[in-house]
Amino acid sequence: MNQAQYRDLYKFSISQPDTFWAEQAEKFISWHTRWQTVRQGDFTTNDMTWFAGGKLNACYNCLDRHLGKRKDQTAIIWQGDEPDTEKHLTYGDLHKEVCRFANVLKDLGVKKGDRVCIYLPMIPEAGIVMLACARIGAIHSVVFAGFSPDSLKTRILDADVKIVITADEGLRGGKTIPIKHNVDKALESCPDVKTVVVVKRTGKTVPFDAKRDKWYHELMSKANADCMPEVMDADDPLFILYTSGSTGKPKGVLHTTGGYLVYAAITFKYVFDYQDGDIYWCTADVGWVTGHTYNIYGPLANGATIVLYEGTPSYPDFSRFWQIIDKYKVTIFYTAPTAIRALRREGDKWVTATNRDSLKLLGTVGEPINPNVCEWYYDVVGNKRCEVVDTWWQTETGGILITPLPGATPFKPGSASWPLFGIVPAVVDDKGNEVEPDKAGRLVIKQPWPGLMKTIYKDHQRFVNNYFKDVPGCYLTGDGARCDKDGYYWIAGRNDDVIKISGHRIGTEEVESAFTSHPAVSQAAVVGVADEIKGQHIYAYINTKAGVEHTDKLKQELVQHVRDVIGPIATPEVIQWTKDLPKTRSGKIMRRILRKIACGEDESLGDTSTLANPGVVEELIAEHEKTK
Ligand code: WTA
């Protein structure tokens, strides 16, 4: 697509959205029954339904309909943690496996609308189980296998899950992860889970509850490979995915079948310009939304060949990503800035030792990418031959909203560039008024699009309050941004209390409650601080209970405690002891001040005299000097 075509189609998509979305839905998706209305509801009713009356099945769209042409085409190339482990599944193979597991689920009593928790490493079974759920209309809730037993438990309970699909162990960077053990621990407080299906990944002997636990391979060996896809309403839920917000527990973002699938399919095609014969590799774990939309649903709906990788960028060495690209002749590569930064730090030699001449397009997602890093990606990884698409989106948005399009968007490294079709962003001030070009503000979206989440599972009010209350009539993203005179968006990152650590989304409040669940801690306040590799890291102000001694050993214990409660992704980097926290007269912690102190920006603290305890500021600055 060239720039003129992009502009024409964009104009059409926002001036006649219903016609545009109807055309796209027709072109990209096979419907069992056509919809009656394209969209009902909007950002004032906050109850949107896309393609009402339409019927379809997501799994059918990802597999069955391709079988005529693609039965023998590879769907998934799986590359294990060890370079010599791999598996290739054709569309025919994948279809059979998925149908088998769909029958397994049915035999285990799983019905349409039931929630299935998936806690698996990056192995083909993760995709198989997700698609099997979609096939029978069960709602999957994938939980990233790096989350702790406690985080897993919270998500199982919130979604009223009865069955968990897991593995004996995970394997990443040569290290094993005790996945089954984590499930056992989580289930101590989940009495409603009566069945656990366990994939044998490493073969390690793990505790096995003969009544509750079942081996995946044993169930599969007896399962029939014929299974009709369930006919689903477009508005039926497809999955729940938990993500962190500013406040409270992680929320269950719920996506529906029709709108989500249309959006996943079209954005995959336009953004990555996927053509037959391309080999597409997205490094995201299926535990995150990128793994859902751009590892499974988007690519498979387009009949793509994907690479699924179990391991890390640095094992056995820092060339691993580039070796995999050469090995499978990857043409489209999509990863996160944190990985690019980490690999760049190790020096060009790890990249230049490989060929990479199969590459055509590079993508990035998850956090702002610094222009220098983006240029390195373009120059060194892509040999100045491959366009880079810096794609901005969120768990809630279902798919990419702002991104360059290959061939259409002149490159400005570090900018997510222009909105995709049907997307109308704006930058607004604190009062909700649009700001001038180049002025920073809050990023909102003004028109509905089909990929947007339907609701927060069991908490529609939270959905309304979180996203639609502050700026009426708009979807509030939680990100800060500015738009330049050429209409390019520059995303600054979160302007709420969400932190992005190595691209992973964590709410400060979650980390604070993890701290305060330790017996030594009285109060905790957590902020994100810029980090050269991880993007941000956790800086914690800890106020201990009377009589507790401030030792390094206690710091280590607290760090371990947070890791145990949430998972290693939430490892705090710095702990600063504090006697008190800056509070407003109404008792609210002033995080703005804490953030500035942690970042060493004491000069711009602003007026602190209105605090209930202004004296605390000097003490915090002094202690910060000692801590850093
Ligand atoms: C951030 C990930 C800058 C942003 C798909 C957003 C980005 C949050 C970009 C959502 C980008 C994502 N440039 N920031 N290209 N992409 N973000 O839900 O702060 O894990 O709000 O979804 O990631 O994170 P989530």
Side-chain angles (χ1 to χ4, degrees):
M1 184 174 296
N2 63 32
Q3 195 178 139
Q5 286 166 327
Y6 161 75
R7 288 194 187 280
D8 285 350
L9 192 56
Y10 180 71
K11 226 186 266 163
F12 169 64
S13 73
I14 63 168
S15 58
Q16 294 180 59
D18 280 9
T19 318
F20 173 78
W21 290 118
E23 281 176 15
Q24 301 298 317
E26 190 107 52
K27 188 164 150 195
F28 281 90
I29 297 301
S30 302
W31 298 82
H32 179 275
T33 310
R34 202 187 142 89
W35 58 89
Q36 278 148 12
T37 48
V38 174
R39 172 172 58 83
Q40 295 169 356
D42 57 28
F43 289 166
T44 57
T45 65
N46 300 322
D47 194 5
M48 282 150 278
T49 304
W50 284 88
F51 309 110
K55 293 189 188 296
L56 75 164
N57 182 281
C59 177
Y60 174 88
N61 272 277
C62 289
L63 301 177
D64 305 53
R65 65 172 175 152
H66 302 314
L67 291 179
K69 183 171 162 200
R70 304 184 191 277
K71 195 161 169 281
D72 299 322
Q73 178 195 315
T74 303
I76 297 179
I77 304 172
W78 176 72
Q79 166 73 152
D81 192 50
E82 294 298 337
D84 58 1
T85 39
E86 64 174 6
K87 239 185 230 170
H88 292 247
L89 287 163
T90 63
Y91 270 91
D93 299 333
L94 186 58
H95 178 257
K96 261 195 221 120
E97 298 292 297
V98 167
C99 287
R100 277 208 184 100
F101 198 69
N103 282 326
V104 166
L105 286 171
K106 282 188 181 172
D107 287 347
L108 293 170
V110 178
K111 297 197 179 58
K112 178 177 169 178
D114 288 350
R115 276 80 49 215
V116 175
C117 176
I118 303 176
Y119 186 72
L120 280 172
M122 282 289 280
I123 51 178
E125 286 80 357
I128 293 170
V129 174
M130 287 165 79
L131 291 165
C133 289
R135 193 165 190 88
I136 65 167
I139 304 167
H140 57 71
S141 166
V142 183
V143 177
F144 174 56
F147 275 123
S148 68
D150 209 52
S151 301
L152 174 63
K153 173 196 83 184
T154 319
R155 288 159 173 78
I156 289 175
L157 292 175
D158 188 80
D160 304 314
V161 163
K162 310 252 170 353
I163 175 166
V164 178
I165 320 298
T166 191
D168 49 1
E169 285 185 315
L171 195 58
R172 264 174 72 77
K175 297 194 192 97
T176 54
I177 306 160
I179 293 190
K180 170 66 165 57
H181 167 80
N182 289 353
V183 171
D184 289 342
K185 241 174 125 188
L187 294 190
E188 285 169 9
S189 346
C190 304
D192 289 344
V193 176
K194 302 278 189 253
T195 314
V196 176
V197 179
V198 188
V199 179
K200 203 170 242 185
R201 168 61 189 99
T202 64
K204 165 119 191 258
T205 311
V206 288
F208 213 75
D209 176 336
K211 258 184 37 218
R212 187 195 67 189
D213 301 344
K214 316 210 175 312
W215 286 111
Y216 178 92
H217 62 271
E218 284 179 6
L219 298 171
M220 286 290 267
S221 70
K222 291 179 238 143
N224 191 306
D226 289 320
C227 175
M228 285 289 284
E230 187 79 27
V231 179
M232 304 296 286
D233 283 344
D235 204 38
D236 278 334
L238 178 61
F239 65 82
I240 300 171
L241 184 57
Y242 285 85
T243 192
S244 298
S246 299
T247 53
K249 282 187 304 178
K251 50 198 175 198
V253 167
L254 187 138
H255 282 286
T256 54
T257 310
Y260 171 82
L261 198 67
V262 167
Y263 202 69
I266 83 151
T267 52
F268 174 76
K269 174 70 184 171
Y270 289 125
V271 176
F272 299 107
D273 189 26
Y274 186 91
Q275 306 291 336
D276 270 350
D278 274 331
I279 309 287
Y280 165 87
W281 178 23
C282 164
T283 64
D285 193 283
V286 288
W288 310 110
V289 75
T290 308
H292 283 58
T293 308
Y294 298 112
N295 250 335
I296 304 295
Y297 289 109
L300 298 181
N302 280 279
T305 298
I306 68 164
V307 175
L308 210 61
Y309 173 46
E310 184 177 36
T312 68
S314 53
Y315 179 82
D317 63 41
F318 295 105
S319 278
R320 187 69 191 278
F321 271 8
W322 325 124
Q323 286 160 356
I324 294 176
I325 287 173
D326 283 352
K327 183 169 173 191
Y328 299 119
K329 303 275 174 280
V330 171
T331 58
I332 306 165
F333 178 63
Y334 190 33
T335 194
T338 192
I340 304 171
R341 288 190 297 258
L343 293 170
R344 177 172 173 259
R345 180 181 58 181
E346 301 304 323
D348 295 3
K349 66 169 189 215
W350 299 104
V351 190
T352 52
T354 62
N355 192 311
R356 289 158 288 108
D357 55 5
S358 55
L359 281 176
K360 294 198 313 207
L361 185 70
L362 299 170
T364 137
V365 59
E367 27 164 352
I369 182 163
N370 176 302
N372 295 332
V373 176
C374 193
E375 273 164 28
W376 181 82
Y377 195 31
Y378 175 79
D379 290 348
V380 181
V381 176
N383 269 334
K384 303 188 183 180
R385 284 187 304 104
C386 311
E387 285 186 62
V388 176
V389 289
D390 174 0
T391 64
W392 175 85
W393 59 295
Q394 310 176 300
T395 306
E396 294 88 335
T397 69
I400 298 164
L401 299 195
I402 304 181
T403 178
L405 286 186
T409 319
F411 188 31
K412 288 199 191 187
S415 170
S417 307
W418 293 335
L420 264 180
F421 307 114
I423 304 303
V424 188
V427 180
V428 302
D429 62 19
D430 284 345
K431 297 200 180 72
N433 299 316
E434 283 190 39
V435 303
E436 309 264 292
D438 281 328
K439 291 264 179 322
R442 301 189 288 173
L443 182 66
V444 298
I445 312 292
K446 299 203 292 186
Q447 271 188 24
W449 70 97
L452 180 64
M453 67 193 286
K454 172 84 181 175
T455 187
I456 290 175
Y457 186 63
K458 292 198 303 199
D459 201 349
H460 193 66
Q461 200 51 44
R462 189 170 171 198
F463 170 69
V464 175
N465 293 347
N466 250 299
Y467 304 104
F468 303 100
K469 219 166 128 194
D470 274 21
V471 185
C474 290
Y475 166 78
L476 182 69
T477 65
D479 276 312
R482 71 185 168 84
C483 179
D484 71 15
K485 291 190 181 64
D486 302 323
Y488 280 65
Y489 284 84
W490 298 80
I491 313 287
R494 304 293 302 196
N495 57 10
D496 54 6
D497 291 317
V498 170
I499 342 184
K500 277 261 157 161
I501 308 167
S502 303
H504 303 323
R505 190 166 154 176
I506 301 280
T508 48
E509 204 182 287
E510 282 170 71
V511 185
E512 289 163 2
S513 21
F515 271 118
T516 48
S517 68
H518 189 281
V521 177
S522 166
Q523 291 184 87
V526 161
V527 296
V529 171
D531 182 297
E532 215 176 302
I533 300 299
K534 295 183 196 161
Q536 284 186 298
H537 64 237
I538 292 176
Y539 191 108
Y541 294 89
I542 302 296
N543 174 231
T544 49
K545 289 192 182 146
V548 172
E549 223 187 305
H550 293 171
T551 59
D552 283 346
K553 190 166 157 275
L554 179 59
K555 278 193 183 176
Q556 283 163 14
E557 195 180 311
L558 291 177
V559 168
Q560 190 54 46
H561 179 70
V562 174
R563 288 170 61 97
D564 290 345
V565 174
I566 303 177
I569 56 169
T571 306
E573 184 94 2
V574 184
I575 290 180
Q576 171 173 338
W577 305 118
T578 168
K579 292 201 191 101
D580 203 358
L581 294 166
K583 290 195 185 130
T584 60
R585 297 218 166 99
S586 57
K588 213 175 140 227
I589 296 175
M590 291 286 282
R591 280 220 181 67
R592 186 179 54 82
I593 293 178
L594 292 173
R595 203 174 295 127
K596 294 229 156 158
I597 295 175
C599 298
E601 297 166 5
D602 315 347
E603 300 84 38
S604 58
L605 278 182
D607 184 12
T608 54
S609 63
T610 54
L611 289 173
N613 49 352
V616 73
V617 173
E618 233 165 78
E619 186 197 307
L620 285 167
I621 295 173
E623 191 65 33
H624 169 72
E625 290 302 318
K626 280 196 253 159
T627 307
K628 57 173 191 192

